Amino acid sequence: MEAKSLETLRHSDDFKVDTLDNGLFQIEVYFFSSLCDTDTIKKEIAHPFLVSPSADAFKIVLKSALACKILENEAEIPGALLQGNAVIQLQDAYYKLLASSPANDKPTEAVAETTLQGPQSAFSEDSETNLKLIRQRYPDPNLTAEQYKLGKVSRTKSYLVYDRNKVNRKVLSQLQQKIKEIDADMVMAGGQVETLITKTKIRWFPIMIVTERPDRTILNLSQGKIVLLIDGTPFVLIVPAVFYDFISAMDDVYQSFVVTRALVLLRYVGLLITMTLPAMYVAIVSYNPEILKVQFTLSLAGSRAAVPYPSFIEVMIMLFLIEALVEASLRLPRYIGSTATTVGGLILGQAAQQAGLVSSVMIIVTSAVAISNFLIPINAMSFAIRMAKYPLIFLASLFGIAGVVTGMFAIVLYAANLTSFGEPYFRFFLKENATSGYKEGDTE
């Protein structure tokens, strides 16, 4: 007799009910054809069933299968089916056999974080495959994986992975508690989980790393950090994170010490330029032209002679255009996006200058800001820094350089006050400890 809990599933065409009869006894097999691998069902259920002399003998076969478990009550049947199990009804008992077919278990090529010399592969969208990639590269018996189901509707399979000997127990306890408290219908990606488990919703800088790279993940595991794998996305979440983690690229591990430090210094200079250069332009043009040499000040005034707007409006026009181009290049298909960026950048910039909307110096400033922003290797921090320059521009338009300095001081205070699961957030690379640095021995 079919369970009542299966009645709601019968409306779906991909829900299958097969009755098998070998002449001695019968079984019912329930499964979703869209979720299950039929070859696994034939191999694990149909073939043993044909050669079983009795129902008791087939029970022994089912109990001996590694991925087969008995269901305690009928209410568990729909959930087991929707998780990719085939349910076997034998007499009055129900057994579930894991027969799911992964949607995409092929590791993809890294596109969000590329390196010149390091591994080029990224994670796949299947959490089991990602866990396998981690275990292959981190063959330590202390590596522990805890499984969770996130989302009241999606029931997204997730793994919390950490090294039992190196992990910070306090951080682990906090993260486990926050994951259990997630209250959402659908959980689809690491960035969404970061938002769901962060107490304050008004947050500027990211406090967790979202990465697609197995090598970055392994490195952070070896430093005592915790990794959250989520089914359906090639991006994983790493906690805790400090400011330096977002300024570090995996090339830092593969290059020599001098080259690495030079690249890190270049990124910090780029970060400073992208945050402050537009604000400094407004401050110098409108309030403090005396800090530049007379020749350059006269040249700057000459380039703005045809511009009818104040420097604040001029900056906002160009920044809006560059932000729109960046967003367009991200959202459009790859080939159209590169074309739109090239055409927009060249034609709009030149046309705006010739039309007298902006000065030629402003175009140089905008280009330097855009290029410098791309030096930041982690996209989450890159987005945060893009937003940081606007409050500084506003302060510069009111108070000049004094406003820019005050704004930078406020941003530093804000970052210094942040914590990531109790760990101080605002750390630079000098004398980093093992949980946040990349080359502990080289920083001594």
Side-chain angles (χ1 to χ4, degrees):
M1 182 178 176
E2 184 177 308
K4 292 181 179 179
S5 57
L6 295 175
E7 292 178 0
T8 55
L9 304 178
R10 282 194 167 278
H11 301 290
S12 300
D13 290 337
D14 60 337
F15 178 60
K16 306 295 181 186
V17 181
D18 287 342
T19 302
L20 306 184
D21 189 341
N22 64 1
L24 300 173
F25 64 99
Q26 290 183 343
I27 62 171
E28 300 281 344
V29 182
Y30 310 101
F31 63 97
F32 280 97
S33 59
S34 56
L35 297 177
C36 294
D37 181 12
T38 53
D39 290 338
T40 302
I41 294 175
K42 290 177 182 175
K43 179 182 177 183
E44 302 292 339
I45 301 174
H47 293 169
F49 172 73
L50 288 175
V51 299
S52 293
S54 65
D56 291 337
F58 188 62
K59 282 182 184 177
I60 296 173
V61 172
L62 289 178
K63 290 178 181 178
S64 63
L66 288 176
C68 189
K69 295 179 180 177
I70 191 167
L71 295 172
E72 299 297 334
N73 55 68
E74 292 184 3
E76 298 178 9
I77 296 176
L81 289 168
L82 291 169
Q83 291 170 11
N85 293 284
V87 173
I88 305 106
Q89 181 183 0
L90 177 59
Q91 298 173 340
D92 294 330
Y94 293 92
Y95 300 84
K96 68 174 184 179
L97 176 73
L98 185 60
S100 61
S101 55
N104 183 6
D105 60 350
K106 304 294 183 187
T108 58
E109 186 177 349
V111 292
E113 294 177 71
T114 57
T115 63
L116 290 177
Q117 298 182 4
Q120 302 298 315
S121 62
F123 283 119
S124 75
E125 294 184 354
D126 180 53
S127 59
E128 297 282 354
T129 304
N130 295 340
L131 187 57
K132 176 184 174 184
L133 288 173
I134 291 176
R135 286 205 178 276
Q136 285 178 337
R137 300 184 184 209
Y138 198 94
D140 190 310
N142 292 306
L143 189 69
T144 305
E146 298 177 6
Q147 191 181 86
Y148 292 87
K149 297 291 182 183
L150 305 181
K152 289 182 288 189
V153 176
S154 62
R155 307 293 297 160
T156 308
K157 185 169 61 178
S158 307
Y159 285 101
L160 201 63
V161 186
Y162 56 89
D163 188 320
R164 203 163 48 251
N165 277 354
K166 297 179 179 178
V167 70
N168 184 325
R169 293 288 172 183
K170 187 177 177 182
V171 174
L172 177 62
S173 176
Q174 286 184 44
L175 185 57
Q176 288 170 330
Q177 184 62 34
K178 287 180 180 294
I179 288 176
K180 291 175 183 174
E181 292 174 354
I182 287 179
D183 183 21
D185 290 337
M186 307 296 294
V187 174
M188 297 170 285
Q192 183 192 9
V193 173
E194 180 182 4
T195 303
L196 291 171
I197 65 177
T198 303
K199 185 179 296 183
T200 174
K201 301 301 177 187
I202 303 175
R203 178 171 47 83
W204 195 340
F205 294 122
I207 58 172
M208 307 171 204
I209 304 173
V210 178
T211 182
E212 62 175 349
R213 298 192 62 85
D215 52 349
R216 184 186 282 274
T217 304
I218 302 304
L219 187 64
N220 281 272
L221 277 173
S222 69
Q223 295 166 346
K225 296 188 180 183
I226 307 166
V227 176
L228 181 64
L229 309 178
I230 300 172
D231 216 27
T233 173
F235 292 91
V236 304
L237 200 64
I238 300 174
V239 294
V242 296
F243 186 79
Y244 173 68
D245 291 330
F246 298 96
I247 308 297
S248 303
M250 286 310 298
D251 278 321
D252 298 350
V253 180
Y254 308 130
Q255 300 286 352
S256 65
F257 176 79
V258 174
V259 174
T260 297
R261 288 296 173 260
L263 289 175
V264 172
L265 180 62
L266 177 66
R267 292 186 202 118
Y268 279 112
V269 172
L271 184 149
L272 195 62
I273 288 175
T274 194
M275 284 182 66
T276 62
L277 194 56
M280 290 297 292
Y281 176 82
V282 173
I284 291 172
V285 168
S286 302
Y287 289 93
N288 307 98
E290 70 276 5
I291 69 169
L292 298 177
K293 287 189 174 180
V294 176
Q295 293 88 341
F296 187 71
T297 302
L298 293 175
S299 175
L300 183 59
S303 71
R304 294 198 73 254
V307 179
Y309 308 109
S311 58
F312 175 76
I313 302 297
E314 180 188 9
V315 167
M316 294 307 292
I317 289 174
M318 283 308 294
L319 289 183
F320 171 78
L321 291 176
I322 201 69
E323 297 286 1
L325 284 172
V326 171
E327 283 299 305
S329 64
L330 291 176
R331 311 301 169 203
L332 289 172
R334 182 179 303 175
Y335 302 107
I336 301 176
S338 59
T339 304
T341 306
T342 305
V343 172
L346 291 176
I347 296 179
L348 279 181
Q350 186 177 5
Q353 192 266 330
Q354 290 179 348
L357 290 176
V358 298
S359 67
S360 55
V361 175
M362 185 63 234
I363 293 177
I364 297 173
V365 168
T366 307
S367 303
V369 168
I371 294 170
S372 300
N373 196 72
F374 293 136
L375 292 177
I376 302 169
I378 302 291
N379 287 327
M381 180 56 75
S382 178
F383 291 146
I385 297 300
R386 275 170 60 188
M387 298 300 109
K389 56 179 173 283
Y390 293 101
L392 297 179
I393 294 171
F394 178 72
L395 290 172
S397 68
L398 295 178
F399 308 108
I401 290 180
V404 178
V405 174
T406 304
M408 285 296 294
F409 186 65
I411 291 174
V412 170
L413 286 181
Y414 169 77
N417 192 44
L418 286 177
T419 58
S420 177
F421 289 85
E423 296 294 311
Y425 180 74
F426 201 33
R427 284 181 178 171
F428 290 99
F429 63 90
L430 290 176
K431 295 184 179 180
E432 287 288 329
N433 59 30
T435 61
S436 55
Y438 279 88
K439 290 180 166 183
E440 184 185 13
D442 291 339
T443 58
E444 294 296 327

